[in-house]
Amino acid sequence: MWTILLLIGSNIFMTIAWYGHLKHRDAALWKVILISWAIAFFEYCLQVPANRIGAGKFSPEQLKVLQEVITMSVFGVFAVLYFGERLRWNYFAAFGCLVGAAFFMFHRF
């Protein structure tokens, strides 16, 4: 459970670092880069322990797929709350594909 909670936290920081500046396009690029790097530092402070803890329970491939599912979930919430986007059917279809990827990655055939 710690792995998942840390991955969620790290994805929140990284989503803000990568996309938060898009509402402030008039800011100087060098400032945006520095601020994004500062925010990303906290992402790494959560991401690295998440992978270390998770490596005892999950394979690297499973960790990556888990990361992607969490990334898209966090971004969906961020897009709605921060950018005022509306979720469309194709977003849910894409998320369903990610859930399918997670199923195949975690299922032993």
Side-chain angles (χ1 to χ4, degrees):
M1 190 64 174
W2 278 110
T3 299
I4 293 170
L5 292 174
L6 289 168
L7 287 174
I8 291 169
S10 73
N11 272 281
I12 290 169
F13 280 110
M14 201 54 158
T15 300
I16 293 168
W18 283 11
Y19 301 102
H21 62 88
L22 295 178
K23 273 192 161 181
H24 309 284
R25 300 199 48 124
D26 55 333
L29 185 58
W30 69 271
K31 288 180 184 177
V32 170
I33 291 170
L34 289 178
I35 292 168
S36 291
W37 272 45
I39 296 169
F41 169 79
F42 295 102
E43 185 268 343
Y44 278 91
C45 288
L46 298 174
Q47 178 73 23
V48 172
N51 285 333
R52 284 275 179 115
I53 293 167
K57 298 176 181 121
F58 306 109
S59 70
E61 297 81 9
Q62 289 172 329
L63 281 170
K64 183 58 183 170
V65 170
L66 189 60
Q67 167 73 19
E68 294 303 325
V69 170
I70 291 170
T71 297
M72 294 307 296
S73 301
V74 167
F75 185 78
V77 172
F78 181 79
V80 169
L81 296 179
Y82 190 73
F83 291 118
E85 291 286 324
R86 298 187 70 203
L87 293 178
R88 296 178 180 85
W89 73 269
N90 55 324
Y91 297 171
F92 292 103
F95 183 74
C97 291
L98 286 172
V99 170
F103 170 79
F104 285 108
M105 185 59 70
F106 283 88
H107 188 74
R108 295 186 187 251
F109 292 101

